[in-house]
Amino acid sequence: MTDAPGARGTARQAPTHPHPATAGHPTVLTGATVVLPTGPVEHGQVTIDGPHITHSAPDNAQVIHAPGHYVIPGFVDLHNHGGGGASFTSGSVDDILKGIHTHRLHGTTTLVASTVTGDMDSLTHRAGLLSELAEQGDVAGIHFEGPFISPCRKGAHSEALLRDPHPADVRKLIDAARGRAKMLTLATELPGGLDSVRLLAEHGVIAAIGHTDATYEQTVEAIDAGATVATHLFNAMPPLGHRSPGPITALLEDDRITVELINDGTHLHPAALQLAFHHVGADRVAFITDAMDAAGFGDGRYWLGPLEVEVADGVARLTEDGTIAGSTLTLDRAFKRAVTVDGLSVEDAVTALSATPARLLGMADTIGSLEPGKYADLLLLDADFELKGVMRRGEWVVPPQLG
């Protein structure tokens, strides 16, 4: 994979929003059902002063009455390749900022930028660019998805660019990210896989098992070596079998593993999602988008790394063979589907979309729940779970719509 025209350049000191939000002002949100770590509080109140949630607000605070609404934490997306017509894998800095802003408009206040399989030079260059954006606070870090994955379960990755996960190559990506690598997905059964898992764990990078053809026993070995996440569980791995339980069983049964789930109605049958969710519980589920450029943008032709993608009726597939190629999901849709289709409680959906991924990223002290001292990253939803306001760091990205 090579960078798209105009993609080479460095991150600049610039506003983090392509369309800057209204300046922050001390605010009190009152009258809504506030979803706290201890559960929903009816007729609750959240006070914001500066970028943080506080115990109390100044006398001159703006008071916003929101009866019949919910206030929940901003969403945290661990796995996202782009949106708004822009790619995190090949786009310019302005493209990346556009994609970030698109997802913020849909409630994702913290986002990890994911790459796709490419040659090592392009991946290390991309890591350097994304690390600068992470240093500026635009993204929470970098997730490398590929090239260390199984050709048997490659999904929408170029087979010609796949390679075994030799620790020296894994280390190159870690170093190129300059401390901003958060997660790397690999097929741990490949040569070098277990040593690479240990290397990642030593450097504080999440080792995620995915795009794998591993057996049950090989997956258990990887977990014991330090893997802690299942990349989009069920997708791009052998199915569960009663004589050959495969990686799915090993990933579900071990409390050390958090499972990613793509809740768009395409990647998973609702029964499969409910099987996973109710087996492991909200504390071990992270809903993700796995979004590509078309998220929040529309149908059409796109590129995912070097592969062409056709998006029709909101479903992304490779033009060459029809393989699902990421998603067009935004997390506000994932949340609404969780509570209205999947029958999850609001508090469990909040945990899977905010608290659990925040904990995985090591950011639970600043984001992921509505508590004094944490960032004022919050969402306002109506009674039908439609997004009616987005605040990030105490500033409205989407001003309250309470009409």
Side-chain angles (χ1 to χ4, degrees), residues 292-378:
M292 45 80 71
D293 310 20
F297 200 66
D299 291 352
R301 291 283 180 107
Y302 297 86
W303 291 92
L304 187 60
L307 303 178
E308 189 176 28
V309 176
E310 175 78 26
V311 179
D313 297 324
V315 178
R317 296 184 181 275
L318 295 182
T319 57
E320 63 181 27
D321 61 9
T323 298
I324 293 176
S327 85
T328 63
L329 186 64
T330 53
L331 285 183
D332 56 338
R333 288 168 45 210
F335 180 89
K336 181 171 181 176
R337 182 178 178 87
V339 295
T340 62
V341 176
D342 303 312
L344 303 185
S345 68
V346 171
E347 50 265 47
D348 277 353
V350 165
T351 298
L353 283 154
S354 302
T356 297
R359 173 182 52 79
L360 278 173
L361 294 175
M363 300 176 71
D365 58 336
T366 57
I367 63 170
S369 60
L370 302 178
E371 298 175 271
K374 295 191 177 184
Y375 281 122
D377 292 357
L378 56 83

Side-chain angles (χ1 to χ4, degrees), residues 128-145:
L129 179 61
L130 291 172
S131 69
E132 292 187 44
L133 291 170
E135 289 161 9
Q136 294 174 186
D138 295 296
V139 297
I142 305 165
H143 163 220
F144 297 101
E145 188 179 19

